[in-house]
Amino acid sequence: MPCASRIFTGFRALGFNSNHVPLAVRYHQKHNENYVVTCVGKAFHTYNCSRLGIISVSNSHPDAIGCLAVDAYLVFTASRNVVQAFARGKEVVHTYRGHDKDVHLLLPFGNHLISVDEDSQLKIWDIESEEVYLEMSFDNRTFQITVVMHPSTYLNKVLVASQQGTMQLWNVKTGKLLYTFPGWGSAITVVEQAPAVDVVAVGLANGEIVLHNLKYDETIMRFTQDWGPVTSISFRTDGHPVMTSGSTAGHIALWDLEEKRMLSQIREAHGSAVTGMTCLLREPLMVTSAADNALKVWIFDQPDGGGRLLRQRTGHSAPPTKVHFHGSDGQSILSAGQDSTVRSFSTVHDRLNKNLGRASFNKAETKKSGLKRDVHRMPPVTDFASETTRQSDWDNILACHRGLAEVTTWNYQRSTMGKHRLLHPRFDGDEQGAVAQCVTVSSCGNFGIIGYSSGHVDVYNLQSGIHRGSYGKPKAHSACVRGVAIDGLNQLTITAAADKNVKFWKFKDKDLLCTLQLMCQVANIVLHRDSSMLAVSLDNFTVSIVDIDTRRVVRHFAGHGNRITDMAFSPDARWLITASMDATVRTWDLPSGRLVDCFLVDAAVTSLSLSPTFDFLVTTHIDDLGIYLWSNMTLYTHVALRPLPSEYEPYLLDMPSTSRKTQDVAVEVEPEDADAMVVSEFKSPEQISDELVTLSLLPNSRWQNLLNLEVIKQRNKPKEPPKVPKSAPFFLPTVPGLEFKLNTAEEDIHRKSDTHVRKSTLQPVSEFGQLLEDSMTTGTASFGHLMAVLKATSPSGIDLHLRSLSPEVGGSADMMIQFMKFIQWVLETHKDFELAQAYLGLFLKLHGDVIASHCTLVEQARKLSEIQVSAWANLQDMFNQSLCLVNYLKSATL
């Protein structure tokens, strides 16, 4: 199967914390830390309870996880009818297959694992051998299993509860039914072991909580909560006789077991049913999770015994509708969801995520009433625009809401909703049905432009929130405005509407400059300010590219089979990436006007944005809480982007998981594309052209200081010669006498004998001189090896080599002539130009007097001088030509 996408591959998913699957808590004795495990679709996360920092992310499952459980070493998950055991939070070590229906209950039981499927088939597995130890079947009509629980101190005993309200106690070793509890007239939803032996808490669907003694089959006490079925139960073990219970309404109740009354309650703890709840062992802490994508830690330190929120991890509780990269570093992603919240997600680390709050008509009243009963909640954000230029001075985010003409401002720096509500007085009168459709913010961060469904386009100052004018008299368009944009210099404003027109206005004077009529109604526009390219999506599922300088359509792309939801330019404006309701993402190459990449996704993309650094593509999808990052593979490997045929059928690309992909991506290509993908390793040639002057790749320190070596050595010379440390003999020599004195006479004798230096009277030919003598017979063929030897020599070594060419120290005039021929060869080949100049300068400095006293050396130096002058004249001509061309391009009007 060919690769689905040649450009993009899944990187990771952001914004997931928990779902409806109950959490599990495990205690690590060596780390002295509690770890909480939550499910996030096809994977599970492990967090530490001390900081709620993510520890590990599991490998992806083939299907969504239905339930999970933990023991001291492993994490067990059930995906459809397959049960898996994970070690170290990510690696699959055991797989258990045998169920015919989906597994919905798991219980680790010593060396065994109990699993129950939807047909109430109970299997007991040996964890290590993966074999079935015992299998029991129940009839759903008479006993549909809802809870499996092991009572503390009951050896080989398992308590099984049913939808019909009865409970049974089984011996799993012998497979016998020991006792049946008649129940309390309602379905059992949860069973939890109490700190007292023989006592369990039973949660019922009618809201009752029963503390029952299993040994004597007696009910100790009963509580009732008025918030619907009991979804979770836990007990404090830090010395306080308190039981906690969760409900489908998201409230948590705290019950005093000594006084048999409600102690306190935590209202609106979650936005949905509290499915997971655990009180940490011997700590005043409680961890809860729910389907609202929130994981919270509560601490019991209130005067009334209640709990307060200590720390939390939250994400969008409803699918996001719009995403956009904020800033030029590509590390922050702004997102707006159907839960009316605006959030910022970091591509670097989860601790940098932040919540900008939920949109409200009256923030003060919202704080008093609470988020769940908030009657001032605003509709979800449909479009927003941001700019970082003045974000530290005033509000820098502009957002329009579904069904409202009022536009809100947000402050990214303070992570809160802004102080301005932008609403023109005209909408208080006859045109109350107008809705703000699109917004944009100028590159300077001072102005915001709003387009309305009535055809009006208004300009506001973001600092003061004052209306600064409108485009058109009285309207900019006769139909709904679908897009607004401002160029990078605040000179031009572009508006597009459903009347098929794209209009160009003067930003300051509000005068109409030009009107461009298209073939169909406009759906959306996106402007790339640096290149002045405007992408316009139309209602006929096509995209037109408009050059705002010439105000003409320069490209037209067709291929989508449904409404185009969003578009994004690459930073260099070479690519345009479009997403459509046909669940495809297409990449168009603007210079060639061809489709270069296309892939399918599981759910249609609702919004997308490309990173300013070109490394990530971010997408949101229908009915999905996640924000998905896709890596741009062209930054890491060579990708042959051949145009795709018009009848190309895209392939499905797997969605990113919550863990980063570290494995290599295997790219499969079709046979006809194999030749295009095979690319040998590029090796730069030694010289591109013989007419060009080529420099060496040596650093400047290897040749630039050759003429100043003596100055450098003199400057670095130590003030005193290094002193040899005195070596004391095993027996110190002493002078005979009554007083203790050391005998230093022998040491002075050795010191005087060491001052005599033997000097050789013969000077052999150096290695470099030998190479020059060999080149006299071989000619210029060995000059290349000679240059390689000099390149590998240090500056001090080069100085020594050139000094050894003098007849006084073992050299000869023939060696000096041969060296000048070597420099002449380097200048004629136009290679290593700066090395030839440095070596020649040092040679003339050392041997100038010797050259002047020999006629043959003077004649050779004259020839070398002519070659040197010619080489510099050629280089100067090339410099002048390049400078003239650059000056012309800077001054000419093109």
mmCIF file with all atom_site columns, all heavy atoms in Angstrom, residues 634-645:
data_model
loop_
_atom_site.group_PDB
_atom_site.id
_atom_site.type_symbol
_atom_site.label_atom_id
_atom_site.label_alt_id
_atom_site.label_comp_id
_atom_site.label_asym_id
_atom_site.label_entity_id
_atom_site.label_seq_id
_atom_site.pdbx_PDB_ins_code
_atom_site.Cartn_x
_atom_site.Cartn_y
_atom_site.Cartn_z
_atom_site.occupancy
_atom_site.B_iso_or_equiv
_atom_site.pdbx_formal_charge
_atom_site.auth_seq_id
_atom_site.auth_comp_id
_atom_site.auth_asym_id
_atom_site.auth_atom_id
_atom_site.pdbx_PDB_model_num
ATOM 1  N N   . THR A 1 634 ? 9.270  17.114 5.158   1.00 0.00 ? 634 THR A N   1
ATOM 2  C CA  . THR A 1 634 ? 10.222 17.740 4.237   1.00 0.00 ? 634 THR A CA  1
ATOM 3  C C   . THR A 1 634 ? 11.345 18.452 4.973   1.00 0.00 ? 634 THR A C   1
ATOM 4  O O   . THR A 1 634 ? 12.365 18.780 4.357   1.00 0.00 ? 634 THR A O   1
ATOM 5  C CB  . THR A 1 634 ? 9.494  18.734 3.325   1.00 0.00 ? 634 THR A CB  1
ATOM 6  O OG1 . THR A 1 634 ? 8.885  19.762 4.132   1.00 0.00 ? 634 THR A OG1 1
ATOM 7  C CG2 . THR A 1 634 ? 8.418  18.037 2.517   1.00 0.00 ? 634 THR A CG2 1
ATOM 8  N N   . LEU A 1 635 ? 11.170 18.705 6.276   1.00 0.00 ? 635 LEU A N   1
ATOM 9  C CA  . LEU A 1 635 ? 12.235 19.345 7.047   1.00 0.00 ? 635 LEU A CA  1
ATOM 10 C C   . LEU A 1 635 ? 13.301 18.356 7.486   1.00 0.00 ? 635 LEU A C   1
ATOM 11 O O   . LEU A 1 635 ? 14.398 18.775 7.881   1.00 0.00 ? 635 LEU A O   1
ATOM 12 C CB  . LEU A 1 635 ? 11.650 20.032 8.285   1.00 0.00 ? 635 LEU A CB  1
ATOM 13 C CG  . LEU A 1 635 ? 10.667 21.172 8.057   1.00 0.00 ? 635 LEU A CG  1
ATOM 14 C CD1 . LEU A 1 635 ? 10.214 21.747 9.382   1.00 0.00 ? 635 LEU A CD1 1
ATOM 15 C CD2 . LEU A 1 635 ? 11.280 22.258 7.198   1.00 0.00 ? 635 LEU A CD2 1
ATOM 16 N N   . TYR A 1 636 ? 13.006 17.061 7.422   1.00 0.00 ? 636 TYR A N   1
ATOM 17 C CA  . TYR A 1 636 ? 13.913 16.058 7.974   1.00 0.00 ? 636 TYR A CA  1
ATOM 18 C C   . TYR A 1 636 ? 14.456 15.093 6.928   1.00 0.00 ? 636 TYR A C   1
ATOM 19 O O   . TYR A 1 636 ? 15.451 14.430 7.192   1.00 0.00 ? 636 TYR A O   1
ATOM 20 C CB  . TYR A 1 636 ? 13.194 15.256 9.068   1.00 0.00 ? 636 TYR A CB  1
ATOM 21 C CG  . TYR A 1 636 ? 12.441 16.115 10.044  1.00 0.00 ? 636 TYR A CG  1
ATOM 22 C CD1 . TYR A 1 636 ? 11.054 16.150 10.051  1.00 0.00 ? 636 TYR A CD1 1
ATOM 23 C CD2 . TYR A 1 636 ? 13.108 16.922 10.943  1.00 0.00 ? 636 TYR A CD2 1
ATOM 24 C CE1 . TYR A 1 636 ? 10.351 16.952 10.942  1.00 0.00 ? 636 TYR A CE1 1
ATOM 25 C CE2 . TYR A 1 636 ? 12.423 17.735 11.831  1.00 0.00 ? 636 TYR A CE2 1
ATOM 26 C CZ  . TYR A 1 636 ? 11.049 17.737 11.828  1.00 0.00 ? 636 TYR A CZ  1
ATOM 27 O OH  . TYR A 1 636 ? 10.362 18.536 12.708  1.00 0.00 ? 636 TYR A OH  1
ATOM 28 N N   . THR A 1 637 ? 13.836 15.016 5.798   1.00 0.00 ? 637 THR A N   1
ATOM 29 C CA  . THR A 1 637 ? 14.284 14.088 4.770   1.00 0.00 ? 637 THR A CA  1
ATOM 30 C C   . THR A 1 637 ? 13.890 14.613 3.402   1.00 0.00 ? 637 THR A C   1
ATOM 31 O O   . THR A 1 637 ? 13.031 15.504 3.291   1.00 0.00 ? 637 THR A O   1
ATOM 32 C CB  . THR A 1 637 ? 13.667 12.692 4.991   1.00 0.00 ? 637 THR A CB  1
ATOM 33 O OG1 . THR A 1 637 ? 14.180 11.785 4.011   1.00 0.00 ? 637 THR A OG1 1
ATOM 34 C CG2 . THR A 1 637 ? 12.159 12.735 4.860   1.00 0.00 ? 637 THR A CG2 1
ATOM 35 N N   . HIS A 1 638 ? 14.519 14.073 2.382   1.00 0.00 ? 638 HIS A N   1
ATOM 36 C CA  . HIS A 1 638 ? 14.182 14.498 1.024   1.00 0.00 ? 638 HIS A CA  1
ATOM 37 C C   . HIS A 1 638 ? 12.855 13.872 0.607   1.00 0.00 ? 638 HIS A C   1
ATOM 38 O O   . HIS A 1 638 ? 12.643 12.665 0.765   1.00 0.00 ? 638 HIS A O   1
ATOM 39 C CB  . HIS A 1 638 ? 15.279 14.079 0.050   1.00 0.00 ? 638 HIS A CB  1
ATOM 40 C CG  . HIS A 1 638 ? 14.945 14.384 -1.383  1.00 0.00 ? 638 HIS A CG  1
ATOM 41 N ND1 . HIS A 1 638 ? 15.022 15.650 -1.912  1.00 0.00 ? 638 HIS A ND1 1
ATOM 42 C CD2 . HIS A 1 638 ? 14.504 13.584 -2.378  1.00 0.00 ? 638 HIS A CD2 1
ATOM 43 C CE1 . HIS A 1 638 ? 14.656 15.619 -3.176  1.00 0.00 ? 638 HIS A CE1 1
ATOM 44 N NE2 . HIS A 1 638 ? 14.341 14.373 -3.490  1.00 0.00 ? 638 HIS A NE2 1
ATOM 45 N N   . VAL A 1 639 ? 11.973 14.681 0.083   1.00 0.00 ? 639 VAL A N   1
ATOM 46 C CA  . VAL A 1 639 ? 10.659 14.227 -0.377  1.00 0.00 ? 639 VAL A CA  1
ATOM 47 C C   . VAL A 1 639 ? 10.481 14.682 -1.823  1.00 0.00 ? 639 VAL A C   1
ATOM 48 O O   . VAL A 1 639 ? 10.599 15.883 -2.115  1.00 0.00 ? 639 VAL A O   1
ATOM 49 C CB  . VAL A 1 639 ? 9.524  14.787 0.500   1.00 0.00 ? 639 VAL A CB  1
ATOM 50 C CG1 . VAL A 1 639 ? 8.175  14.333 -0.047  1.00 0.00 ? 639 VAL A CG1 1
ATOM 51 C CG2 . VAL A 1 639 ? 9.691  14.335 1.932   1.00 0.00 ? 639 VAL A CG2 1
ATOM 52 N N   . ALA A 1 640 ? 10.242 13.738 -2.702  1.00 0.00 ? 640 ALA A N   1
ATOM 53 C CA  . ALA A 1 640 ? 10.015 14.062 -4.111  1.00 0.00 ? 640 ALA A CA  1
ATOM 54 C C   . ALA A 1 640 ? 8.539  14.412 -4.301  1.00 0.00 ? 640 ALA A C   1
ATOM 55 O O   . ALA A 1 640 ? 7.676  13.543 -4.238  1.00 0.00 ? 640 ALA A O   1
ATOM 56 C CB  . ALA A 1 640 ? 10.410 12.887 -5.002  1.00 0.00 ? 640 ALA A CB  1
ATOM 57 N N   . LEU A 1 641 ? 8.254  15.672 -4.529  1.00 0.00 ? 641 LEU A N   1
ATOM 58 C CA  . LEU A 1 641 ? 6.869  16.131 -4.653  1.00 0.00 ? 641 LEU A CA  1
ATOM 59 C C   . LEU A 1 641 ? 6.491  16.217 -6.129  1.00 0.00 ? 641 LEU A C   1
ATOM 60 O O   . LEU A 1 641 ? 6.506  17.287 -6.737  1.00 0.00 ? 641 LEU A O   1
ATOM 61 C CB  . LEU A 1 641 ? 6.706  17.492 -3.962  1.00 0.00 ? 641 LEU A CB  1
ATOM 62 C CG  . LEU A 1 641 ? 6.923  17.484 -2.446  1.00 0.00 ? 641 LEU A CG  1
ATOM 63 C CD1 . LEU A 1 641 ? 6.770  18.879 -1.869  1.00 0.00 ? 641 LEU A CD1 1
ATOM 64 C CD2 . LEU A 1 641 ? 5.950  16.541 -1.767  1.00 0.00 ? 641 LEU A CD2 1
ATOM 65 N N   . ARG A 1 642 ? 6.164  15.080 -6.666  1.00 0.00 ? 642 ARG A N   1
ATOM 66 C CA  . ARG A 1 642 ? 5.674  15.050 -8.046  1.00 0.00 ? 642 ARG A CA  1
ATOM 67 C C   . ARG A 1 642 ? 4.184  15.362 -8.058  1.00 0.00 ? 642 ARG A C   1
ATOM 68 O O   . ARG A 1 642 ? 3.433  14.934 -7.165  1.00 0.00 ? 642 ARG A O   1
ATOM 69 C CB  . ARG A 1 642 ? 5.924  13.674 -8.660  1.00 0.00 ? 642 ARG A CB  1
ATOM 70 C CG  . ARG A 1 642 ? 7.391  13.303 -8.741  1.00 0.00 ? 642 ARG A CG  1
ATOM 71 C CD  . ARG A 1 642 ? 7.580  11.928 -9.306  1.00 0.00 ? 642 ARG A CD  1
ATOM 72 N NE  . ARG A 1 642 ? 7.004  11.812 -10.643 1.00 0.00 ? 642 ARG A NE  1
ATOM 73 C CZ  . ARG A 1 642 ? 6.956  10.673 -11.330 1.00 0.00 ? 642 ARG A CZ  1
ATOM 74 N NH1 . ARG A 1 642 ? 7.439  9.563  -10.787 1.00 0.00 ? 642 ARG A NH1 1
ATOM 75 N NH2 . ARG A 1 642 ? 6.422  10.639 -12.520 1.00 0.00 ? 642 ARG A NH2 1
ATOM 76 N N   . PRO A 1 643 ? 3.699  16.117 -9.027  1.00 0.00 ? 643 PRO A N   1
ATOM 77 C CA  . PRO A 1 643 ? 2.259  16.445 -9.085  1.00 0.00 ? 643 PRO A CA  1
ATOM 78 C C   . PRO A 1 643 ? 1.414  15.185 -9.165  1.00 0.00 ? 643 PRO A C   1
ATOM 79 O O   . PRO A 1 643 ? 1.757  14.200 -9.832  1.00 0.00 ? 643 PRO A O   1
ATOM 80 C CB  . PRO A 1 643 ? 2.142  17.286 -10.356 1.00 0.00 ? 643 PRO A CB  1
ATOM 81 C CG  . PRO A 1 643 ? 3.514  17.824 -10.591 1.00 0.00 ? 643 PRO A CG  1
ATOM 82 C CD  . PRO A 1 643 ? 4.469  16.780 -10.102 1.00 0.00 ? 643 PRO A CD  1
ATOM 83 N N   . LEU A 1 644 ? 0.293  15.208 -8.447  1.00 0.00 ? 644 LEU A N   1
ATOM 84 C CA  . LEU A 1 644 ? -0.616 14.070 -8.447  1.00 0.00 ? 644 LEU A CA  1
ATOM 85 C C   . LEU A 1 644 ? -1.602 14.190 -9.588  1.00 0.00 ? 644 LEU A C   1
ATOM 86 O O   . LEU A 1 644 ? -2.016 15.303 -9.958  1.00 0.00 ? 644 LEU A O   1
ATOM 87 C CB  . LEU A 1 644 ? -1.370 13.996 -7.110  1.00 0.00 ? 644 LEU A CB  1
ATOM 88 C CG  . LEU A 1 644 ? -0.514 13.826 -5.856  1.00 0.00 ? 644 LEU A CG  1
ATOM 89 C CD1 . LEU A 1 644 ? -1.387 13.832 -4.606  1.00 0.00 ? 644 LEU A CD1 1
ATOM 90 C CD2 . LEU A 1 644 ? 0.308  12.555 -5.921  1.00 0.00 ? 644 LEU A CD2 1
ATOM 91 N N   . PRO A 1 645 ? -2.017 13.084 -10.163 1.00 0.00 ? 645 PRO A N   1
ATOM 92 C CA  . PRO A 1 645 ? -3.003 13.156 -11.258 1.00 0.00 ? 645 PRO A CA  1
ATOM 93 C C   . PRO A 1 645 ? -4.362 13.616 -10.769 1.00 0.00 ? 645 PRO A C   1
ATOM 94 O O   . PRO A 1 645 ? -4.680 13.536 -9.580  1.00 0.00 ? 645 PRO A O   1
ATOM 95 C CB  . PRO A 1 645 ? -3.040 11.718 -11.776 1.00 0.00 ? 645 PRO A CB  1
ATOM 96 C CG  . PRO A 1 645 ? -2.573 10.873 -10.630 1.00 0.00 ? 645 PRO A CG  1
ATOM 97 C CD  . PRO A 1 645 ? -1.584 11.707 -9.884  1.00 0.00 ? 645 PRO A CD  1
#
